[in-house]
Amino acid sequence: MTEKHKNFETTVIHEGYDSKEMLGSLSTPLFQTSTYTFDTAEQGERRFAGEEDGYIYSRLGNPTVSVLEERIAALEKGERGLAFASGMAAVSAVLIALTKANDHILCSSGLYGCTFGLLTMMKEKYNITHDFSNMATKEDVRALIKPETTCIYVETPINPTMKLIDLKMVAEVAKEFNIPVVVDNTFSSPYLQRPLELGCDVVLHSATKYIGGHGDVVAGLVVGKKDFLDSVAMTTQKDIGGIISPFDAWLLIRGLKTLPVRLDRHCDNAEKVFEKLRHHPKVANIYYPGDESHPDYPIMEKQMKRGGGLISFEIKGTKEDAQQMLNNLSFLKIAVSLGDAETLIQHPATMTHSVVPEASRLEMGITDQLIRLSIGLEAWEDIWSDVEQALNKL
Ligand SMILES: *Cc1c(COP(=O)(O)O)cnc(C)c1O
C-alpha cells in the first residue's frame, strides 16, 4: 500500500503500487494466473473463512487487478473500486445489486443503448420499472420518485446530444429520499468530473473509452463506498462473474498513466475544431459542453474541468448527406466508441442509436442529420482539414 498522493497527475501514476513489494519492477507485474496455492490445508480454510488475507482464485481477486481498483478508487475519491470485463458488466452488476423484483429506477433521459436494453430486460423479467427524466430542476427529479424507487441513474454529458445534468442538485434531492445516485462517468473520466465529490454515491465507467484510451481493451470500473462495493464484490461480481482479465487490467494501468495528458490534448483539439466547425456553412447545429452559448454551459463550469473531447453536429441536408460526409473523410476513421488516440466519427441514427424507436430517437434530438465526433490526439489542423473537406464536398 502506498501513501495517498495529493494531485491527480501523481495518483494516476503511483497509487496502489509499491515496486519494493515486487522485486523493484517499475511496471506493475501481470499476474496472469487463475488460482493461488495455499501452503497448507489449514491456510486454505482460513482464507475461505476470511480469517486471513490473501488471494484464493482470480474471480475473487488478483494482484494486478487490485492495483487498478485502488488507483481508480483514489482518482474518483471513493473508498473502493472494482474492475469488470466491460462497461456493461459494471452497469449490470451495480443495477442488479441495487434492485429486487418490483423496484423502480429513475433515469436521466438519453441512456447508453445497452443500458436501456438492460433496463428493458429487468422490466420484462422482474418487473423492475423505470422512468426517464430530463432532471432540469429538483421538481423534475422529485416528481418521478416513487416509494419503490431504489436507484437514480444518471449519464452526463448525455450521448450524443451533450446535454448536462447538475449532479449536485440530483444528489441533494436523492438525499431527501435516501436513494443512491449512480453516475455513468464514461464521457468525462475522473480527470474532468468527479461525481462522488458532488454528493453522488456510485460512479461507473466504460473503461473501454478514455480510461483505456488506446482502443485495445473492453473493460468497466465502479467506485463507491466500501460497504456497497463489498456487497457487489461478494454478490453480482462474484456470482455473475463479469470480472476483468489480468491482462486487460494491466493495459488499463498503462493507459491510465497518461489520462490527464491525453484528456488535456483531447479538450484542446476539440475546442479548436469546435470553433471552426460552428462557422462552417454546412453545419446547422452543434453540441459541445465547452461552448459558452450551450444552454448547459453553467453546469459544465460548475462540475467539469473542461468540455471534453466529444462534439456532435447536425448538417444541413439528408440522412444520405450525413452518411456521405463520413464517406468523404480521407484518414479519419468511421467507428463507434470514443476516447481513443484516433479521431472517430459515427452516425448515431443508424449506428449507436439505431435500436431506439424513431419517435424516441427524435425526441432525444438524434436526427438523421446528426454526426458524432470523438476528437483524437492528432494535430487539430489535420483533423479539421479532413472534416472540412468532407463537408465541402457535400
Ligand atoms: C461504451 C459505453 C458503455 C458500455 O461500455 P462497454 O465497455 O462497451 O461495455 C456504457 N456507457 C457509456 C456512456 C458508454 O459510452
Side-chain angles (χ1 to χ4, degrees):
M1 201 84 74
T2 52
E3 76 183 80
K4 289 270 181 281
H5 298 284
K6 265 210 185 73
N7 292 300
F8 192 96
E9 292 78 358
T10 308
T11 304
V12 82
I13 294 169
H14 290 280
E15 184 62 34
Y17 180 62
D18 184 355
S19 59
K20 285 198 221 66
E21 293 171 3
M22 297 292 170
L23 305 170
S25 175
L26 178 67
S27 159
T28 306
L30 170 57
F31 283 85
Q32 190 70 35
T33 186
S34 58
T35 197
Y36 304 84
T37 59
F38 307 131
D39 293 342
T40 61
E42 289 75 14
Q43 183 183 50
E45 181 180 13
R46 287 194 301 276
R47 294 243 174 122
F48 270 88
E51 292 161 9
E52 178 187 300
D53 283 344
Y55 292 98
I56 295 175
Y57 180 69
S58 274
R59 182 156 39 73
L60 313 178
N62 172 284
T64 308
V65 175
S66 297
V67 172
L68 172 66
E69 292 176 338
E70 274 190 44
R71 197 160 293 175
I72 191 65
L75 295 172
E76 285 285 9
K77 309 276 185 198
E79 293 174 2
R80 184 171 179 189
L82 287 176
F84 292 84
S86 69
M88 285 317 302
V91 173
S92 55
V94 167
L95 286 182
I96 294 169
L98 284 174
T99 51
K100 58 179 179 3
N102 306 317
D103 282 346
H104 172 254
I105 304 173
L106 178 58
C107 308
S108 56
S109 18
L111 285 184
Y112 183 73
C114 298
T115 303
F116 180 75
L118 174 69
L119 288 170
T120 307
M121 183 174 78
M122 288 167 76
K123 181 166 187 298
E124 283 166 3
K125 289 176 92 88
Y126 309 113
N127 194 37
I128 297 166
T129 58
H130 56 265
D131 278 301
F132 293 105
S133 164
N134 60 16
M135 301 189 183
T137 65
K138 285 192 168 180
E139 264 323 299
D140 290 340
V141 183
R142 282 191 198 109
L144 289 167
I145 291 178
K146 302 176 179 191
E148 61 271 25
T149 307
T150 57
C151 169
I152 298 178
Y153 188 91
V154 182
E155 276 183 33
T156 178
I158 293 174
N159 179 28
T161 49
M162 305 297 150
K163 293 193 184 98
L164 304 186
I165 289 171
D166 183 336
L167 291 174
K168 190 156 175 279
M169 178 275 283
V170 174
E172 282 168 8
V173 178
K175 290 275 172 309
E176 293 168 15
F177 297 85
N178 206 18
I179 300 169
V181 180
V182 179
V183 180
D184 181 334
N185 202 26
T186 301
F187 271 39
S188 301
S189 89
Y191 182 61
L192 298 182
Q193 173 172 280
R194 285 186 290 280
L196 303 183
E197 288 186 327
L198 300 166
C200 300
D201 301 277
V202 180
V203 58
L204 57 84
H205 288 276
S206 167
T208 314
K209 318 293 168 53
Y210 285 110
I211 289 180
H214 294 73
D216 50 14
V217 192
V218 174
L221 293 167
V222 179
V223 179
K225 294 230 164 57
K226 187 173 180 305
D227 284 357
F228 176 63
L229 275 272
D230 285 353
S231 84
V232 170
M234 292 312 290
T235 57
T236 49
Q237 187 186 45
K238 172 173 79 71
D239 298 334
I240 298 178
I243 54 143
I244 195 169
S245 81
F247 181 59
D248 287 349
W250 188 89
L251 283 172
L252 291 184
I253 291 166
R254 189 182 203 268
L256 258 180
K257 290 184 187 185
T258 53
L259 180 75
V261 183
R262 287 187 284 110
L263 251 293
D264 273 331
R265 178 64 170 262
H266 283 297
C267 293
D268 288 346
N269 281 354
E271 286 165 12
K272 293 279 203 310
V273 171
F274 165 74
E275 276 307 322
K276 294 285 186 188
L277 198 52
R278 70 190 304 190
H279 294 120
H280 195 282
K282 289 274 160 52
V283 172
N285 286 302
I286 184 159
Y287 309 109
Y288 178 55
D291 171 5
E292 287 177 28
S293 59
H294 187 299
D296 297 334
Y297 188 76
I299 301 177
M300 132 63 202
E301 279 197 299
K302 257 176 44 178
Q303 69 188 25
M304 293 173 73
K305 190 180 167 86
R306 301 182 66 177
L310 285 142
I311 302 173
S312 292
F313 60 99
E314 274 179 317
I315 56 151
K316 293 174 186 158
T318 61
K319 169 188 159 194
E320 288 69 28
D321 291 323
Q323 290 179 313
Q324 188 58 48
M325 188 270 160
L326 270 56
N327 292 336
N328 289 346
L329 291 163
S330 77
F331 79 97
L332 296 183
K333 304 288 185 262
I334 306 172
V336 297
S337 199
L338 55 109
D340 293 328
E342 293 82 0
T343 294
L344 303 178
I345 194 161
Q346 66 117 349
H347 183 240
T350 58
M351 295 179 184
T352 49
H353 292 74
S354 56
V355 294
V356 182
E358 192 181 3
S360 322
R361 180 161 65 69
L362 293 174
E363 208 178 304
M364 289 157 68
I366 306 168
T367 62
D368 287 345
Q369 292 78 24
L370 190 76
I371 291 170
R372 190 189 76 187
L373 256 176
S374 167
I375 301 288
L377 303 176
E378 304 95 337
W380 76 266
E381 294 91 339
D382 295 333
I383 300 170
W384 169 243
S385 73
D386 202 9
V387 169
E388 186 183 33
Q389 65 80 23
L391 285 169
N392 289 348
K393 276 193 198 145
L394 291 180

